[in-house]
Amino acid sequence: MKIKEIWFTEEDLCGRDESGKLHRQSLLWYPALQTATDEQRAHYRFGMDGIHWRELDVDVSFESFVYEDAEPTQLQRFFLTHKEINISEFSKLLGLNASLLRNYINGFKKPSKEREAFILHQIHKIGREYLAAVF
């Protein structure tokens, strides 16, 4: 499958393949594209396997348009939008391996439902602690 046309919405990179089918994926996966100007986004080229933005040093494979996780999970979305959270320190708090947590965040591995619930519970717990400190 090859993408023949691309465009951006506020939250997604969208594409149309050679059969006319529409695809999309979250810009959260591509921080440089997410924060790029329209002019920077317009300077791309199609290659054999994907799309390349030389100025931004971003490559998006055609294959990535058909991945199951076009939209990040709640867990992934939290860490992708809160870069200020130190993954190594947070994983120590959870008693998890930092590399494993990074793999969950980046979509290379999927946590079990129980593990994802545990991680989200800890995020909510920290959020409550922050709120208690403010009020």
Side-chain angles (χ1 to χ4, degrees):
M1 187 257 323
K2 279 194 170 186
I3 298 295
K4 296 294 189 181
E5 174 189 5
I6 64 165
W7 65 94
F8 294 88
T9 67
E10 199 170 308
E11 296 182 0
D12 296 313
L13 168 59
C14 302
R16 185 181 321 274
D17 67 21
E18 61 236 338
S19 72
K21 185 175 179 182
L22 298 176
H23 303 273
R24 69 169 190 80
Q25 51 184 310
S26 176
L27 285 172
L28 288 175
W29 297 122
Y30 308 101
L33 285 175
Q34 187 178 30
T35 59
T37 65
D38 289 341
E39 184 177 332
Q40 289 172 314
R41 288 177 176 179
H43 289 103
Y44 64 89
R45 68 174 178 79
F46 287 107
M48 294 296 293
D49 298 323
I51 310 158
H52 179 69
W53 285 263
R54 184 175 183 170
E55 180 183 343
L56 300 171
D57 193 27
V58 174
D59 291 298
V60 176
S61 70
F62 295 139
E63 180 184 21
S64 66
F65 280 90
V66 294
Y67 288 167
E68 291 181 18
D69 59 354
E71 183 63 33
T73 65
Q74 182 182 11
L75 174 65
Q76 292 168 324
R77 180 173 284 280
F78 176 79
F79 284 102
L80 291 169
T81 57
H82 292 282
K83 300 288 187 185
E84 71 277 8
I85 303 293
N86 182 304
I87 303 302
S88 294
E89 292 302 316
F90 186 75
S91 63
K92 284 181 192 175
L93 175 73
L94 299 178
L96 289 178
N97 178 290
S99 294
L100 180 60
L101 183 57
R102 282 187 190 90
N103 282 330
Y104 292 160
I105 294 164
N106 293 319
F108 301 132
K109 291 190 175 190
K110 292 190 180 221
S112 67
K113 290 190 183 296
E114 295 81 15
R115 173 137 315 158
E116 184 173 13
F118 170 73
I119 296 168
L120 290 171
H121 174 77
Q122 294 303 316
I123 291 169
H124 294 152
K125 180 180 173 189
I126 291 171
R128 287 189 300 274
E129 290 172 8
Y130 283 168
L131 281 172
V134 174
F135 297 106

